[in-house]
């Protein structure tokens, strides 16, 4: 039985004044039977985690090393020190903005698992790759390259995020989402065995909103969502959590 997960990625958004969104979310969903995760910027991690018991808090990246001369970076252990339990890795914006590769994502994920974090590993094709009918090959390569051997259903979540759907308002059809999620499940079962492969939670990410959440959550092998823009306010994120809880 996979526990559903509603995860929010605040990206480079959020100030101290936005922490009251967490109070509102906690009040609205204290009895929800789903996991809720918010990944704020590093500047808010410690204060956000100190503010809530219901909502898990995560980083948006970590370094593959535990310590050292890496100006501007943050280690998995530092995220834990700030109260994080999860970390997003291999997000397409990290891949684009910072040239991160599958190897980078895998090394970071290994560090995250070693430190005791749950890694939310992102994969997804570009529009050109989809139009060239390469989606499943791309996803297959990213899964093989980005997921470390030590991963399992307890320490890893996989997020399918088509690059062309992130922040654009474009959403794949439910058939397209289902095809990729079923494919990811098959790949995980083949690599890690049926039991482990079936236990990994698979999130869909890309322009999820209150208005489309229910139909996305009805798709097979969708265990929740990774949400960017619509996670920034309790008002926008709440209907997504409610739809997940009802699914
Ligand atoms: C994301 O950044 O992971 C994301 C899915 O963003 P959005 O929901 O804004 O498309």
């Amino acid at each position: 039985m996979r526990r559903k997960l509603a995860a929010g990625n605040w990206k480079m958004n959020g100030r101290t004044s936005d922490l009251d969104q967490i109070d509102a979310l906690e009040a609205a969903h204290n009895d929800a039977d789903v996991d809720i995760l918010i990944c704020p910027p590093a500047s808010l991690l410690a204060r956000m985690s100190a503010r809530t018991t219901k909502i898990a808090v995560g980083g948006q990246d970590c370094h593959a090393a535990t310590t050292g001369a890496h100006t501007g970076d943050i280690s998995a252990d530092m995220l834990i020190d700030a109260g994080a339990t999860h970390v997003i890795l291999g997000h397409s914006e990290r891949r684009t903005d910072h040239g991160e590769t599958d190897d980078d994502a895998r090394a970071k994920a290994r560090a995250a698992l070693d430190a005791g974090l749950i890694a939310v590993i992102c994969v997804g094709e570009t529009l050109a790759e989809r139009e060239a009918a390469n989606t499943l090959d791309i996803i297959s390569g990213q899964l093989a390259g980005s997921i470390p051997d030590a991963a399992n259903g307890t320490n890893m979540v996989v997020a399918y995020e088509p690059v062309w759907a992130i922040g654009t308002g474009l959403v794949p059809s439910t058939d397209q989402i289902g095809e990729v999620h079923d494919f990811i499940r098959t790949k995980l079962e083949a690599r890690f065995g049926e039991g482990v492969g079936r236990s990994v939670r698979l999130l869909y990410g890309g322009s999820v909103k209150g208005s489309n959440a229910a139909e996305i959550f009805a798709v097979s092998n969708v265990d929740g969502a990774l949400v960017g823009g619509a996670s920034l306010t309790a008002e926008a994120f709440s209907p997504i959590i409610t739809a997940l809880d009802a699914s």
Side-chain angles (χ1 to χ4, degrees), residues 53-86:
T53 49
K54 170 77 183 170
I55 299 168
V57 171
Q60 299 175 10
D61 178 47
C62 71
H63 199 280
T66 51
T67 188
H70 303 291
T71 303
D73 277 316
I74 192 161
S75 73
D77 181 59
M78 288 169 176
L79 293 177
I80 291 175
D81 188 47
T85 51
H86 296 63

mmCIF file of all heavy atoms in Angstrom, residues 53-86:
data_model
loop_
_atom_site.group_PDB
_atom_site.id
_atom_site.type_symbol
_atom_site.label_atom_id
_atom_site.label_comp_id
_atom_site.label_asym_id
_atom_site.label_seq_id
_atom_site.Cartn_x
_atom_site.Cartn_y
_atom_site.Cartn_z
ATOM 1 N N THR A 53 4.211 20.192 12.536
ATOM 2 C CA THR A 53 4.459 18.777 12.818
ATOM 3 C C THR A 53 3.789 17.919 11.741
ATOM 4 O O THR A 53 4.235 16.822 11.443
ATOM 5 C CB THR A 53 3.887 18.379 14.197
ATOM 6 O OG1 THR A 53 2.544 18.859 14.278
ATOM 7 C CG2 THR A 53 4.721 18.976 15.312
ATOM 8 N N LYS A 54 2.734 18.425 11.140
ATOM 9 C CA LYS A 54 1.965 17.660 10.147
ATOM 10 C C LYS A 54 2.670 17.620 8.783
ATOM 11 O O LYS A 54 2.584 16.650 8.040
ATOM 12 C CB LYS A 54 0.577 18.304 9.996
ATOM 13 C CG LYS A 54 -0.256 17.793 8.848
ATOM 14 C CD LYS A 54 -0.860 16.456 9.144
ATOM 15 C CE LYS A 54 -1.635 15.910 7.951
ATOM 16 N NZ LYS A 54 -2.026 14.525 8.147
ATOM 17 N N ILE A 55 3.346 18.728 8.449
ATOM 18 C CA ILE A 55 3.887 18.888 7.101
ATOM 19 C C ILE A 55 5.384 18.615 7.104
ATOM 20 O O ILE A 55 6.132 19.205 7.890
ATOM 21 C CB ILE A 55 3.586 20.309 6.581
ATOM 22 C CG1 ILE A 55 2.067 20.514 6.541
ATOM 23 C CG2 ILE A 55 4.225 20.551 5.217
ATOM 24 C CD1 ILE A 55 1.638 21.938 6.321
ATOM 25 N N ALA A 56 5.812 17.698 6.231
ATOM 26 C CA ALA A 56 7.247 17.431 6.103
ATOM 27 C C ALA A 56 7.889 18.546 5.288
ATOM 28 O O ALA A 56 7.238 19.188 4.450
ATOM 29 C CB ALA A 56 7.462 16.082 5.421
ATOM 30 N N VAL A 57 9.170 18.759 5.545
ATOM 31 C CA VAL A 57 9.889 19.849 4.894
ATOM 32 C C VAL A 57 11.109 19.263 4.191
ATOM 33 O O VAL A 57 11.756 18.348 4.716
ATOM 34 C CB VAL A 57 10.284 20.906 5.955
ATOM 35 C CG1 VAL A 57 11.215 21.948 5.383
ATOM 36 C CG2 VAL A 57 9.029 21.566 6.514
ATOM 37 N N GLY A 58 11.386 19.768 2.991
ATOM 38 C CA GLY A 58 12.502 19.210 2.227
ATOM 39 C C GLY A 58 13.325 20.269 1.534
ATOM 40 O O GLY A 58 12.885 21.409 1.338
ATOM 41 N N GLY A 59 14.542 19.891 1.143
ATOM 42 C CA GLY A 59 15.395 20.758 0.343
ATOM 43 C C GLY A 59 15.070 20.615 -1.134
ATOM 44 O O GLY A 59 14.318 19.722 -1.547
ATOM 45 N N GLN A 60 15.662 21.496 -1.940
ATOM 46 C CA GLN A 60 15.442 21.460 -3.390
ATOM 47 C C GLN A 60 16.658 20.936 -4.149
ATOM 48 O O GLN A 60 16.634 20.811 -5.372
ATOM 49 C CB GLN A 60 15.109 22.865 -3.895
ATOM 50 C CG GLN A 60 13.849 23.445 -3.291
ATOM 51 C CD GLN A 60 13.610 24.880 -3.726
ATOM 52 O OE1 GLN A 60 14.281 25.391 -4.627
ATOM 53 N NE2 GLN A 60 12.665 25.538 -3.083
ATOM 54 N N ASP A 61 17.730 20.651 -3.398
ATOM 55 C CA ASP A 61 18.974 20.158 -3.996
ATOM 56 C C ASP A 61 19.919 19.848 -2.842
ATOM 57 O O ASP A 61 19.711 20.344 -1.724
ATOM 58 C CB ASP A 61 19.605 21.244 -4.893
ATOM 59 C CG ASP A 61 20.938 20.790 -5.507
ATOM 60 O OD1 ASP A 61 20.981 19.662 -6.028
ATOM 61 O OD2 ASP A 61 21.908 21.562 -5.448
ATOM 62 N N CYS A 62 20.916 19.027 -3.064
ATOM 63 C CA CYS A 62 22.020 18.917 -2.105
ATOM 64 C C CYS A 62 23.281 18.567 -2.876
ATOM 65 O O CYS A 62 23.213 18.116 -4.024
ATOM 66 C CB CYS A 62 21.729 17.882 -1.019
ATOM 67 S SG CYS A 62 21.755 16.167 -1.588
ATOM 68 N N HIS A 63 24.416 18.796 -2.249
ATOM 69 C CA HIS A 63 25.705 18.444 -2.843
ATOM 70 C C HIS A 63 25.959 16.953 -2.632
ATOM 71 O O HIS A 63 25.422 16.350 -1.702
ATOM 72 C CB HIS A 63 26.811 19.286 -2.197
ATOM 73 C CG HIS A 63 28.057 19.349 -3.015
ATOM 74 N ND1 HIS A 63 28.996 18.340 -3.029
ATOM 75 C CD2 HIS A 63 28.515 20.305 -3.875
ATOM 76 C CE1 HIS A 63 29.980 18.662 -3.848
ATOM 77 N NE2 HIS A 63 29.710 19.859 -4.376
ATOM 78 N N ALA A 64 26.785 16.391 -3.495
ATOM 79 C CA ALA A 64 27.111 14.965 -3.345
ATOM 80 C C ALA A 64 28.117 14.721 -2.226
ATOM 81 O O ALA A 64 28.237 13.602 -1.731
ATOM 82 C CB ALA A 64 27.661 14.425 -4.668
ATOM 83 N N ALA A 65 28.845 15.774 -1.837
ATOM 84 C CA ALA A 65 29.828 15.619 -0.754
ATOM 85 C C ALA A 65 29.179 15.970 0.583
ATOM 86 O O ALA A 65 28.147 16.638 0.636
ATOM 87 C CB ALA A 65 31.022 16.525 -1.018
ATOM 88 N N THR A 66 29.807 15.517 1.663
ATOM 89 C CA THR A 66 29.231 15.771 2.980
ATOM 90 C C THR A 66 29.664 17.117 3.550
ATOM 91 O O THR A 66 28.959 17.708 4.360
ATOM 92 C CB THR A 66 29.629 14.664 3.974
ATOM 93 O OG1 THR A 66 31.048 14.501 3.918
ATOM 94 C CG2 THR A 66 28.958 13.349 3.620
ATOM 95 N N THR A 67 30.844 17.582 3.144
ATOM 96 C CA THR A 67 31.365 18.840 3.682
ATOM 97 C C THR A 67 32.476 19.327 2.756
ATOM 98 O O THR A 67 32.879 18.604 1.851
ATOM 99 C CB THR A 67 31.904 18.586 5.129
ATOM 100 O OG1 THR A 67 32.232 19.831 5.727
ATOM 101 C CG2 THR A 67 33.135 17.694 5.130
ATOM 102 N N GLY A 68 32.951 20.552 2.928
ATOM 103 C CA GLY A 68 34.117 20.969 2.165
ATOM 104 C C GLY A 68 33.974 22.303 1.464
ATOM 105 O O GLY A 68 33.042 23.070 1.715
ATOM 106 N N ALA A 69 34.901 22.561 0.558
ATOM 107 C CA ALA A 69 35.009 23.859 -0.105
ATOM 108 C C ALA A 69 34.086 23.898 -1.323
ATOM 109 O O ALA A 69 34.516 23.711 -2.465
ATOM 110 C CB ALA A 69 36.467 24.088 -0.513
ATOM 111 N N HIS A 70 32.808 24.131 -1.090
ATOM 112 C CA HIS A 70 31.808 24.158 -2.170
ATOM 113 C C HIS A 70 30.892 25.358 -1.934
ATOM 114 O O HIS A 70 29.764 25.221 -1.448
ATOM 115 C CB HIS A 70 31.006 22.853 -2.192
ATOM 116 C CG HIS A 70 31.869 21.641 -2.354
ATOM 117 N ND1 HIS A 70 32.545 21.366 -3.527
ATOM 118 C CD2 HIS A 70 32.202 20.666 -1.485
ATOM 119 C CE1 HIS A 70 33.246 20.249 -3.382
ATOM 120 N NE2 HIS A 70 33.065 19.811 -2.156
ATOM 121 N N THR A 71 31.426 26.539 -2.240
ATOM 122 C CA THR A 71 30.729 27.786 -1.937
ATOM 123 C C THR A 71 29.317 27.810 -2.526
ATOM 124 O O THR A 71 29.142 27.529 -3.711
ATOM 125 C CB THR A 71 31.541 28.976 -2.499
ATOM 126 O OG1 THR A 71 32.844 28.927 -1.923
ATOM 127 C CG2 THR A 71 30.880 30.301 -2.160
ATOM 128 N N GLY A 72 28.379 28.111 -1.679
ATOM 129 C CA GLY A 72 27.001 28.243 -2.136
ATOM 130 C C GLY A 72 26.208 26.956 -2.098
ATOM 131 O O GLY A 72 24.994 26.978 -2.335
ATOM 132 N N ASP A 73 26.865 25.836 -1.826
ATOM 133 C CA ASP A 73 26.161 24.554 -1.827
ATOM 134 C C ASP A 73 25.718 24.161 -0.420
ATOM 135 O O ASP A 73 26.147 24.747 0.574
ATOM 136 C CB ASP A 73 27.048 23.468 -2.430
ATOM 137 C CG ASP A 73 26.992 23.473 -3.944
ATOM 138 O OD1 ASP A 73 25.866 23.592 -4.474
ATOM 139 O OD2 ASP A 73 28.046 23.388 -4.588
ATOM 140 N N ILE A 74 24.913 23.129 -0.368
ATOM 141 C CA ILE A 74 24.403 22.641 0.919
ATOM 142 C C ILE A 74 24.445 21.109 0.884
ATOM 143 O O ILE A 74 24.149 20.512 -0.148
ATOM 144 C CB ILE A 74 22.968 23.206 1.172
ATOM 145 C CG1 ILE A 74 22.527 22.972 2.602
ATOM 146 C CG2 ILE A 74 21.955 22.646 0.191
ATOM 147 C CD1 ILE A 74 21.376 23.883 3.034
ATOM 148 N N SER A 75 24.855 20.515 1.994
ATOM 149 C CA SER A 75 24.956 19.054 2.024
ATOM 150 C C SER A 75 23.659 18.442 2.537
ATOM 151 O O SER A 75 22.832 19.115 3.177
ATOM 152 C CB SER A 75 26.119 18.619 2.928
ATOM 153 O OG SER A 75 25.771 18.827 4.275
ATOM 154 N N ALA A 76 23.524 17.151 2.287
ATOM 155 C CA ALA A 76 22.335 16.431 2.761
ATOM 156 C C ALA A 76 22.232 16.509 4.281
ATOM 157 O O ALA A 76 21.152 16.719 4.843
ATOM 158 C CB ALA A 76 22.407 14.979 2.304
ATOM 159 N N ASP A 77 23.372 16.372 4.940
ATOM 160 C CA ASP A 77 23.400 16.426 6.397
ATOM 161 C C ASP A 77 22.973 17.809 6.911
ATOM 162 O O ASP A 77 22.318 17.932 7.952
ATOM 163 C CB ASP A 77 24.824 16.075 6.850
ATOM 164 C CG ASP A 77 24.933 16.083 8.349
ATOM 165 O OD1 ASP A 77 24.192 15.315 8.980
ATOM 166 O OD2 ASP A 77 25.742 16.863 8.880
ATOM 167 N N MET A 78 23.335 18.854 6.173
ATOM 168 C CA MET A 78 22.914 20.214 6.570
ATOM 169 C C MET A 78 21.404 20.369 6.422
ATOM 170 O O MET A 78 20.764 21.049 7.229
ATOM 171 C CB MET A 78 23.627 21.259 5.703
ATOM 172 C CG MET A 78 25.093 21.397 6.020
ATOM 173 S SD MET A 78 25.881 22.392 4.745
ATOM 174 C CE MET A 78 27.533 22.489 5.423
ATOM 175 N N LEU A 79 20.845 19.747 5.388
ATOM 176 C CA LEU A 79 19.386 19.807 5.230
ATOM 177 C C LEU A 79 18.711 19.143 6.432
ATOM 178 O O LEU A 79 17.735 19.677 6.990
ATOM 179 C CB LEU A 79 18.955 19.106 3.934
ATOM 180 C CG LEU A 79 19.384 19.770 2.623
ATOM 181 C CD1 LEU A 79 18.949 18.915 1.437
ATOM 182 C CD2 LEU A 79 18.799 21.181 2.504
ATOM 183 N N ILE A 80 19.241 18.003 6.840
ATOM 184 C CA ILE A 80 18.671 17.311 7.999
ATOM 185 C C ILE A 80 18.816 18.186 9.243
ATOM 186 O O ILE A 80 17.883 18.322 10.049
ATOM 187 C CB ILE A 80 19.366 15.942 8.196
ATOM 188 C CG1 ILE A 80 18.970 15.012 7.043
ATOM 189 C CG2 ILE A 80 18.989 15.326 9.546
ATOM 190 C CD1 ILE A 80 19.683 13.674 7.041
ATOM 191 N N ASP A 81 19.969 18.813 9.366
ATOM 192 C CA ASP A 81 20.224 19.689 10.514
ATOM 193 C C ASP A 81 19.192 20.826 10.575
ATOM 194 O O ASP A 81 18.842 21.309 11.646
ATOM 195 C CB ASP A 81 21.643 20.249 10.387
ATOM 196 C CG ASP A 81 22.086 21.002 11.616
ATOM 197 O OD1 ASP A 81 21.895 20.477 12.734
ATOM 198 O OD2 ASP A 81 22.621 22.116 11.475
ATOM 199 N N ALA A 82 18.705 21.243 9.404
ATOM 200 C CA ALA A 82 17.712 22.319 9.340
ATOM 201 C C ALA A 82 16.283 21.790 9.470
ATOM 202 O O ALA A 82 15.326 22.566 9.397
ATOM 203 C CB ALA A 82 17.870 23.086 8.030
ATOM 204 N N GLY A 83 16.132 20.467 9.623
ATOM 205 C CA GLY A 83 14.790 19.915 9.831
ATOM 206 C C GLY A 83 14.195 19.219 8.628
ATOM 207 O O GLY A 83 13.038 18.790 8.659
ATOM 208 N N ALA A 84 14.968 19.099 7.553
ATOM 209 C CA ALA A 84 14.433 18.460 6.338
ATOM 210 C C ALA A 84 14.406 16.939 6.477
ATOM 211 O O ALA A 84 15.255 16.350 7.153
ATOM 212 C CB ALA A 84 15.276 18.843 5.122
ATOM 213 N N THR A 85 13.423 16.345 5.824
ATOM 214 C CA THR A 85 13.343 14.881 5.746
ATOM 215 C C THR A 85 13.450 14.404 4.292
ATOM 216 O O THR A 85 13.622 13.213 4.053
ATOM 217 C CB THR A 85 12.003 14.373 6.324
ATOM 218 O OG1 THR A 85 10.938 15.123 5.706
ATOM 219 C CG2 THR A 85 11.956 14.578 7.837
ATOM 220 N N HIS A 86 13.290 15.312 3.354
ATOM 221 C CA HIS A 86 13.279 14.974 1.926
ATOM 222 C C HIS A 86 14.205 15.934 1.175
ATOM 223 O O HIS A 86 14.523 17.010 1.671
ATOM 224 C CB HIS A 86 11.871 15.145 1.324
ATOM 225 C CG HIS A 86 10.817 14.236 1.874
ATOM 226 N ND1 HIS A 86 10.411 14.254 3.191
ATOM 227 C CD2 HIS A 86 10.068 13.293 1.267
ATOM 228 C CE1 HIS A 86 9.464 13.343 3.367
ATOM 229 N NE2 HIS A 86 9.226 12.753 2.218
#
